[in-house]
């Protein structure tokens, strides 16, 4: 009888030990899963914090002004020809973003395809050569002024999209110079510049052009409200690659002389998020832009 009791007791203890081992193993697996989830969440929070805390400061790449005396000046009435270069970019809290913005500045400066520029120092040397060439031309041709300016600014962020502008102005004499504002939309997750072709479905390009033409066409009316001939014809009209996102919609920016006279400056055409026509041609990735607007 005692042997039977001991055998049952031992079996019970072994059973409890086995259950305890299974519970311990299950708890260990659960803890491991929780730790993995916590690590994932911490990484997501860290990534979000990095994206939401873009810190920028201006970085002067090349800034120089020189005045050349005019050969036609006489006596005390000295005239000068001015050559000025002012090229700035932004230094950000992320090295990849700083490099991306620098490349966008280089791209817009109109560097010849045969000239290879791989880094900031090479671009600065390129600007120095341009300054020297401009000084030579100003002396040779008695140019009244030669000015080149590029200014990069940070506008803000919406979710994972940061918006920057690159303002350009060039003057080589005459009544006025040429200028323009380029918007640079950066996907902070993918670390790439967002293009118009990323925002709209490919099959809707004709519809997109039609919507923009309608906005533009309706701007040209006489005092009686009747449509008049616009500055640009429908055949020449195009979809601008220069866009930005606002609270109301997607705005397409056109440089001076594109949709109007120089005096009219840069012109903007906005497609509203409140219109189903726009919602229907957005790619799935950018549907969130219009998610808060009514159907």
């Amino acid at each position: 009888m005692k042997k039977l009791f001991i055998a049952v007791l031992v079996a019970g203890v072994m059973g409890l030990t086995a259950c305890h081992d299974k519970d311990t193993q299950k708890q260990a697996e659960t803890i491991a899963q929780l730790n993995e989830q916590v690590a994932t969440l911490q990484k997501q929070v860290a990534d979000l914090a990095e994206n939401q805390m873009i810190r920028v400061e201006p970085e002067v790449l090349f800034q120089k002004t020189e005045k050349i005396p005019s050969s036609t000046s006489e006596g005390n009435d000295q005239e000068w020809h001015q050559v000025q270069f002012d090229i700035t970019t932004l230094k950000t809290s992320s090295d990849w973003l700083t490099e991306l913005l620098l490349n966008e500045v280089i791209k817009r400066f109109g560097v010849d395809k045969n000239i290879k520029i791989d880094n900031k120092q090479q671009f600065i040397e390129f600007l120095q050569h341009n300054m020297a060439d401009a000084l030579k031309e100003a002396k040779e041709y008695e140019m009244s002024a030669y000015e080149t300016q590029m200014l990069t600014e940070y506008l803000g962020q919406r979710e994972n999209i940061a918006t920057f502008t690159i303002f350009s102005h060039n003057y080589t004499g005459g009544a006025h110079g040429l200028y323009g504002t380029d918007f640079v939309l950066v996907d902070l997750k993918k670390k790439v510049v967002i293009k118009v072709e990323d925002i709209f479905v490919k099959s809707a390009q004709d519809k997109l052009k039609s919507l923009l033409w309608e906005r533009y066409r309706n701007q040209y009316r006489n005092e009686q409200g009747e449509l008049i001939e616009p500055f640009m014809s429908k055949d020449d009209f195009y979809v601008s690659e220069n866009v930005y996102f606002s609270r109301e919609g997607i705005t397409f920016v056109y440089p001076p002389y594109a949709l109007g006279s120089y005096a009219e400056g840069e012109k903007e055409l906005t497609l509203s998020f409140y219109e189903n026509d726009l919602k229907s041609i957005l790619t799935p990735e950018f549907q969130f832009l219009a998610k808060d607007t009514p159907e």
Side-chain angles (χ1 to χ4, degrees):
M1 186 70 179
K2 286 183 179 181
K3 290 182 180 180
L4 179 61
F5 175 76
I6 293 172
V8 171
L9 182 61
V10 171
V13 171
M14 291 179 65
L16 288 173
T17 302
C19 290
H20 177 70
D21 290 342
K22 289 181 179 180
D23 289 342
T24 300
Q25 182 179 358
K26 187 175 182 180
Q27 288 177 0
E29 291 174 354
T30 301
I31 291 172
Q33 291 175 354
L34 289 173
N35 286 335
E36 186 177 347
Q37 292 176 3
V38 169
T40 301
L41 288 172
Q42 287 176 335
K43 185 179 184 304
Q44 291 175 350
V45 170
D47 291 342
L48 181 62
E50 179 183 359
N51 291 340
Q52 293 293 338
M53 295 177 62
I54 295 178
R55 296 182 299 278
V56 303
E57 59 180 286
E59 181 178 8
V60 176
L61 294 174
F62 188 75
Q63 193 174 64
K64 190 173 183 179
T65 300
E66 286 195 27
K67 291 185 177 181
I68 304 169
S70 173
S71 61
T72 59
S73 300
E74 296 181 0
N76 296 325
D77 298 328
Q78 180 67 62
E79 294 182 3
W80 300 86
H81 304 306
Q82 178 171 289
V83 176
Q84 178 179 4
F85 273 60
D86 186 2
I87 314 297
T88 67
T89 184
L90 291 177
K91 184 176 182 180
T92 76
S93 51
S94 299
D95 291 341
W96 69 266
L97 183 56
T98 300
E99 183 178 357
L100 182 148
L101 292 173
L102 174 63
N103 288 334
E104 291 299 310
V105 170
I106 295 173
K107 185 189 304 181
R108 285 162 176 77
F109 200 83
V111 178
D112 190 290
K113 293 181 179 180
N114 296 322
I115 300 176
K116 189 177 181 181
I117 296 179
D118 294 322
N119 53 57
K120 180 170 64 176
Q121 183 56 40
Q122 289 180 355
F123 184 49
I124 292 173
E125 292 172 358
F126 171 80
L127 294 173
Q128 290 171 340
H129 287 302
N130 269 254
M131 177 76 174
D133 290 341
L135 285 168
K136 183 178 179 181
E137 289 185 18
K139 292 177 181 178
E140 184 176 353
Y141 299 107
E142 291 285 324
M143 299 172 65
S144 59
Y146 190 114
E147 299 176 2
T148 296
Q149 180 185 37
M150 294 191 78
L151 175 64
T152 309
E153 293 187 337
Y154 171 54
L155 296 188
Q157 181 180 340
R158 180 174 179 182
E159 296 198 15
N160 62 303
I161 300 173
T163 303
F164 301 85
T165 59
I166 300 177
F167 173 78
S168 304
H169 176 260
N170 292 283
Y171 178 74
T172 55
H176 54 73
L178 293 177
Y179 71 92
T181 306
D182 284 350
F183 289 81
V184 181
L185 307 179
V186 181
D187 187 322
L188 298 175
K189 289 183 179 178
K190 296 182 178 181
K191 300 182 179 180
V192 296
V193 174
I194 299 170
K195 300 178 181 179
V196 170
E197 60 193 45
D198 301 321
I199 304 169
F200 300 95
V201 295
K202 291 182 179 179
S203 60
Q205 294 304 308
D206 289 340
K207 185 174 182 179
L208 173 60
K209 184 177 180 180
S210 178
L211 290 172
L212 287 171
W213 168 256
E214 181 183 348
R215 297 295 184 282
Y216 174 63
R217 184 72 183 90
N218 285 329
Q219 292 180 356
Y220 286 83
R221 295 179 179 272
N222 58 24
E223 294 179 356
Q224 290 73 40
E226 301 169 332
L227 290 172
I228 59 176
E229 192 68 23
F231 184 88
M232 175 182 279
S233 68
K234 188 173 184 179
D235 290 339
D236 294 330
F237 186 80
Y238 63 95
V239 176
S240 175
E241 293 289 330
N242 191 18
V243 302
Y244 69 87
F245 303 137
S246 65
R247 291 184 179 275
E248 293 74 28
I250 302 177
T251 299
F252 294 73
V253 184
Y254 293 79
Y257 287 129
L259 299 186
S261 65
Y262 182 85
E264 294 178 81
E266 296 177 298
K267 294 184 75 69
E268 298 184 347
L269 302 175
T270 300
L271 300 181
S272 173
F273 290 136
Y274 290 88
E275 301 176 44
N276 289 325
D277 283 339
L278 175 59
K279 296 180 182 179
S280 66
I281 61 176
L282 291 173
T283 57
E285 185 178 358
F286 290 93
Q287 285 290 333
F288 78 91
L289 292 169
K291 67 182 179 181
D292 297 326
T293 58
E295 297 294 336

